[in-house]
Amino acid sequence: MVMSQILKIVRERQSSRVPFDPERSVAKQDLSQVLEAARWAPTAHNMQNFEIIVVDRKELLEKIGNIKSPISEAFIRENYQQLSFSKREFLQKKVGILATMFPPEWRDPTKVDEVVRESKSWLLSETIEGSPLVLVMIYDVRKRAPASDGDFLGIISLGCVMENMWLVTQVLGISFSVMSVFAADLVENELKQLLNIPEHMKIAFSIRLGYPVSTSAKYLRVRRDLGAFVHDNRFGNKWSTSPHMPSSSSRRAASHSKKNNSVDRSRIASF
Ligand SMILES: Cc1cc2nc3c(=O)[nH]c(=O)nc-3n(C[C@H](O)[C@H](O)[C@H](O)COP(=O)(O)O)c2cc1C
């Protein structure tokens, strides 16, 4: 596969926040490929610290849909701080999410206190939105990547698993949406009982897979320019977006590594 195709898949991978068709299931063969991508994801120390529960039984999905998910005040307030309230603001900021992704009463920045006061629980069915297939990603809290405080590296690894699966669904034409709410305390407790998840395992997030009922709505996606977050050698030295010329020291290092190609590096690990 040529580089431009890979970059196209990376760029076009996106969140699908529309209802899925409950009658259109994901083919077993496709699901196997998504799981295979998870299997080969990089994880810190190759600890493979995850397990995946594939939920596709209708009655189970219905029970999950009936779980109530309270919305925390912290979520509402921090969400407001990060939203853009117009396309113009969004295009300028180049980070975050457009307020139009949320219910109409959430789209007015002056109404944050009102929304906090009146916020009620949502049913998970509103999040699952008809999806015929949900993957629940869990991990063992008793393990950690060696010497990794708070298992920071282990948690990052779960993100690698997510991205691997996401890219494969993009190629397969399957819509994908992350649902962090599955990890919220109250929701997690109910799910652990329902799905028989052992005490020492924690839910990291869930993913719903499927096919939109109607043509998938396109939405505005923004990203920062490279110059806004890449630094050239030292923090604050803006990265030039023109083709990068390696410095003389990196040219020397490249020539050194060419000369040392004959060395068997397969047993050299760097920590
Ligand atoms: C760790 C993680 C958690 C996320 N949680 C949610 C979520 O709970 N609900 C949701 O709609 N999107 C969620 N997303 C999707 C992001 O909002 C989305 O990737 C981001 O807005 C960029 O949009 P794009 O995926 O279309 O490029 C999550 C993404 C990641 C990586």
Side-chain angles (χ1 to χ4, degrees):
M1 191 180 280
V2 291
M3 182 54 70
S4 63
Q5 282 174 296
I6 293 176
L7 275 179
K8 183 172 166 12
I9 293 159
V10 169
R11 283 197 194 104
E12 292 182 357
R13 172 221 56 78
Q14 61 179 273
S15 302
S16 185
R17 297 194 186 89
V18 291
F20 291 168
D21 184 347
E23 301 308 325
R24 198 171 162 206
S25 55
V26 173
K28 273 264 160 358
Q29 200 188 342
D30 287 349
L31 175 60
S32 298
Q33 300 199 70
V34 174
L35 298 173
E36 184 66 6
R39 181 172 167 242
W40 282 101
T43 53
H45 219 251
N46 193 24
M47 64 196 284
Q48 302 175 49
N49 56 337
F50 61 93
E51 317 252 337
I52 300 171
I53 304 181
V54 177
V55 186
D56 60 358
R57 269 202 235 136
K58 268 198 176 155
E59 69 277 9
L60 210 46
L61 287 167
E62 254 171 51
K63 282 187 184 159
I64 294 177
N66 286 332
I67 295 177
K68 277 190 186 152
S69 139
I71 307 160
S72 74
E73 177 170 354
F75 177 83
I76 297 173
R77 293 198 185 277
E78 287 173 34
N79 180 51
Y80 263 108
Q81 280 163 15
Q82 293 173 30
L83 288 180
S84 286
F85 295 92
S86 68
K87 278 190 180 169
R88 196 190 152 101
E89 185 187 352
F90 193 44
L91 288 169
Q92 263 169 8
K93 273 196 194 165
K94 295 188 175 169
V95 296
I97 289 183
L98 254 180
T100 48
M101 296 274 185
F102 289 92
E105 62 275 20
W106 283 51
R107 294 180 198 166
D108 182 346
T110 63
K111 296 214 167 126
V112 57
D113 291 326
E114 210 174 297
V115 170
V116 167
R117 257 195 325 274
E118 287 170 14
S119 101
K120 44 185 179 345
S121 296
W122 287 359
L123 281 174
L124 244 50
S125 55
E126 292 177 61
T127 307
I128 298 177
E129 294 192 282
S131 175
L133 180 62
V134 168
L135 305 182
V136 182
M137 173 76 70
I138 56 178
Y139 65 103
D140 190 335
V141 289
R142 298 170 308 181
K143 296 181 185 162
R144 69 169 188 174
S148 173
D149 271 348
D151 196 25
F152 183 63
L153 297 174
I155 309 284
I156 291 176
S157 306
L158 301 173
C160 297
V161 182
M162 178 198 285
E163 179 69 352
N164 261 23
M165 293 194 284
W166 210 333
L167 292 174
V168 166
T169 57
Q170 175 67 22
V171 175
L172 294 170
I174 299 169
S175 292
F176 185 113
S177 161
V178 185
M179 302 178 294
S180 307
V181 69
F182 277 57
D185 287 347
L186 292 175
V187 175
E188 185 187 36
N189 289 343
E190 292 205 39
L191 281 166
K192 280 177 100 164
Q193 284 188 19
L194 199 57
L195 304 177
N196 202 24
I197 299 173
E199 196 47 46
H200 60 273
M201 308 286 301
K202 210 173 156 33
I203 298 180
F205 54 83
S206 287
I207 296 161
R208 66 188 184 103
L209 300 180
Y211 301 91
V213 196
S214 51
T215 4
S216 191
K218 284 238 178 295
Y219 68 96
L220 190 57
R221 295 174 65 236
V222 292
R223 290 299 191 269
R224 295 171 296 166
D225 299 322
L226 288 184
F229 65 95
V230 185
H231 306 260
D232 195 350
N233 287 294
R234 290 172 77 90
F235 188 89
N237 283 352
K238 220 177 168 154
W239 179 262
S240 159
T241 43
S242 59
H244 188 60
M245 294 296 291
S247 63
S248 52
S249 59
S250 54
R251 274 201 304 272
R252 271 198 305 279
S255 113
H256 175 78
S257 91
K258 260 190 199 159
K259 279 184 205 143
N260 284 292
N261 265 354
S262 58
V263 176
D264 175 11
R265 303 184 73 82
S266 61
R267 292 170 55 217
I268 301 173
S270 60
F271 294 97

